[in-house]
Amino acid sequence: MAQEKRDYYEVLGVERGAGEEEIKKAYKKLARKYHPDMNPGDKEAEEKFKEINEANEVLSDPEKKARYDQFGFAGVDPNYGGGGGAYGGTGFDFGDLGDIFGSFFGGGFGGGAARRNGPLRGESIRASVTVSFTEAAFGCEKSITLERSEPCATCGGNGCAPGTTPEVCPDCRGTGVVTRAQRTPFGVMQSQAPCSKCSGTGKIIHQPCPDCHGGGAVRHRRTIKVNIPAGIDDGQTISLRGQGHAGRNGGQSGDLLITVMVRPHEMFRREGTSVFCEAPITFAQAVLGAELEIPTIDGKVKYAIPEGTQTGTVFRLKGKGIPSLNGRGRGDQYVTVTIETPKGLNREQKEALRIFSETLGENNYEKQRNFFKKFRK
């Protein structure tokens, strides 16, 4: 399985060393393209979407990205390369390398064993959900289906078969590490290494749990309901605390991080809490004034435009924009008026328009008059 994985940078289409913003931009573009909502029934798109999310989960996390850059898949996937999370068969995490090297010359940093055998928080899960323009504006509830590791109900998370308990490792006495001393011309030097007998866990399981096989956690497919808050914008992330992968040694579960993608609206455009749209009007409406029905995210509202309205004029509809995420008020809607020139006039209509035009003087076309004045100068 491991050799079938594609390089995470290749999956997102970015160069090695790409920054956080570049990775985020590439992920959003690909996730939108291959999201199941955009490709219903397309199994290939679904697999690509999973691959994209896996790559983003690593490359968007600075710590995981650093391990991946240095050690490849083995640095971020404990099951890669076989042998229960081992790299080269040693059975320890790369996160402990700093503790091991720091323990040379007397172990100046310490704390590695305590972190290894103490409670460890579970990893977060990254997912995405697509909502409509109005769902983002007013909020909604969505369901997300995911797979996550959860504490094994059979053994309570200790990895042992029911009725049995783990044995404290006799070699490291439960610390998970062994200390070696070596005499050198510079004195006695000490170094620490993961205990080979217990693979650094500090305990030995003689009868593994039949359900989790000694891992203490099992994977379940869950459907979680997510409340999308009113005012959420495209690309923003919702964090559900404790809904991620299970922790180890009694540690808390990670979080579920959901990136919201908003489908564009055919009529409205959004900037922050402001909504923008265009309203085409007739020449007669512009000249004489008129009462228009303007579409808003709340429905249609009536708005009276004055006589002599020019194309490009912007009107503001106060409080008809997007609700603020903090719940304090709403933005405004801005309507740009465009005058539509009629086409396909018949002979009588053209003649009537010529007669009308002859009755007008320069004072009726102020912008045109000023333009030609400047031109003559």
Side-chain angles (χ1 to χ4, degrees), residues 143-197:
S143 294
I144 291 182
T145 300
L146 51 84
E147 285 191 359
R148 68 182 180 191
S149 63
E150 298 178 1
C152 178
T154 303
C155 65
N158 67 8
C160 295
T164 66
T165 56
E167 174 194 356
V168 175
C169 177
D171 288 10
C172 66
R173 298 180 182 180
T175 65
V177 295
V178 290
T179 302
R180 298 186 179 91
Q182 184 177 5
R183 188 176 299 279
T184 73
F186 302 102
V188 176
M189 293 186 180
Q190 289 186 335
S191 63
Q192 287 186 329
C195 177
S196 59
K197 190 174 185 68

Side-chain angles (χ1 to χ4, degrees), residues 182-227:
Q182 184 177 5
R183 188 176 299 279
T184 73
F186 302 102
V188 176
M189 293 186 180
Q190 289 186 335
S191 63
Q192 287 186 329
C195 177
S196 59
K197 190 174 185 68
C198 64
S199 297
T201 63
K203 60 185 180 181
I204 298 174
I205 298 175
H206 294 289
Q207 297 182 49
C209 171
D211 289 345
C212 66
H213 307 290
V218 291
R219 296 186 74 85
H220 286 290
R221 191 173 181 85
R222 300 293 187 194
T223 298
I224 297 173
K225 290 184 177 181
V226 182
N227 288 318

